[in-house]
């Protein structure tokens, strides 16, 4: 897309829909209350419908889909916090630091809180404090490295977590 149309934002917009669907499916399987009523599926379906409407009617597909990104961030942060609530509520014997879903949820919450904040403040900082944009860009890279490194670490440590977990 970048080579042919000189703009690859359409790929990111479509990817956001796919990513949101996968994350909602994950939370539908992790949160007992969600799986009981298929709430993750309904949240994901609502989000995809909203994203498609946004890309076709409100913001063109070749423009950053900021409305959907705010919606996605809000939903994922909310699902992370609800997952923590359900984890702490339902299982008193859970050794939380050995439970792999705790770490996935923590990483999602970390990533999306920083991303949500950066999307909201980027234009303000770019307008009023443009000299700090390179620093913010590096910080976003660091957050991505921590996120993907953390997810990789969970997969590497998964057998150890299972041995000492529940």
């Amino acid at each position: 897309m970048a080579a042919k149309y000189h703009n690859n934002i359409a790929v990111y917009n479509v990817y956001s829909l796919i990513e949101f669907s996968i994350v909602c499916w994950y939370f539908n399987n992790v949160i007992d209350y969600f799986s009981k009523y298929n709430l993750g599926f309904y949240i994901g379906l609502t989000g995809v419908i909203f994203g498609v409407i946004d890309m076709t009617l409100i913001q063109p597909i070749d423009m950053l889909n900021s409305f959907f990104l705010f919606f996605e961030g809000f939903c994922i942060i909310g699902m992370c916090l609800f997952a923590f609530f359900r984890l702490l509520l339902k299982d008193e014997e859970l050794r939380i630091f050995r439970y792999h879903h705790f770490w996935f949820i923590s990483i999602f919450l970390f990533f999306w809180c920083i991303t949500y904040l950066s999307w909201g403040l980027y234009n303000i900082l770019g307008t009023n404090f443009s000299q700090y944009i390179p620093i913010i860009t590096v910080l976003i890279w660091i957050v991505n490295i921590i996120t993907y490194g953390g997810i990789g670490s969970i997969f590497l440590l998964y057998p150890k977590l299972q041995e000492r977990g529940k």
Side-chain angles (χ1 to χ4, degrees):
M1 288 296 288
K4 186 173 182 177
Y5 298 106
H6 306 290
N7 186 349
N8 60 354
I9 291 189
V11 174
Y12 289 120
N13 288 339
V14 173
Y15 168 75
S16 293
L17 298 175
I18 296 167
E19 174 191 43
F20 185 68
S21 300
I22 292 170
V23 170
C24 287
W25 174 74
Y26 169 77
F27 280 110
N28 193 63
N29 291 322
V30 170
I31 303 172
D32 59 338
Y33 189 78
F34 275 31
S35 61
K36 183 177 179 181
Y37 299 106
N38 281 327
L39 292 178
F41 173 75
Y42 294 125
I43 293 169
L45 184 64
T46 303
V48 168
I49 290 169
F50 171 69
V52 169
I53 290 170
D54 185 34
M55 280 190 288
T56 55
L57 300 176
I58 301 169
Q59 294 177 316
I61 195 167
D62 61 344
M63 183 179 145
L64 183 65
N65 199 346
S66 60
F67 294 149
F68 181 75
L69 288 174
F70 278 116
F71 174 79
E72 180 182 18
F74 179 78
C75 288
I76 292 174
I77 290 169
M79 288 187 288
C80 287
L81 294 175
F82 189 75
F84 279 142
F85 168 72
R86 293 302 295 175
L87 276 176
L88 296 173
L89 184 68
K90 75 172 187 161
D91 200 348
E92 294 176 7
E93 296 179 17
L94 178 65
R95 293 169 62 186
I96 197 107
F97 293 113
R98 301 286 183 197
Y99 188 53
H100 59 282
H101 289 300
F102 167 77
W103 290 110
F104 280 120
I105 295 165
S106 298
I107 290 170
F108 281 146
L109 186 62
F110 166 75
F111 175 79
W112 278 101
C113 283
I114 300 296
T115 303
Y116 200 67
L117 184 67
S118 70
W119 284 120
L121 295 177
Y122 202 80
N123 285 339
I124 295 168
L125 293 173
T127 303
N128 299 329
F129 304 100
S130 60
Q131 70 270 20
Y132 296 117
I133 292 296
I135 296 169
I136 294 167
T137 302
V138 169
L139 290 175
I140 291 171
W141 286 350
I142 291 170
V143 166
N144 283 310
I145 290 168
I146 292 169
T147 299
Y148 296 121
I151 290 171
S153 297
I154 292 170
F155 284 113
L156 289 173
L157 299 173
Y158 182 72
K160 293 178 185 177
L161 292 173
Q162 285 299 314
E163 291 172 9
R164 301 177 195 147
K166 283 186 160 180

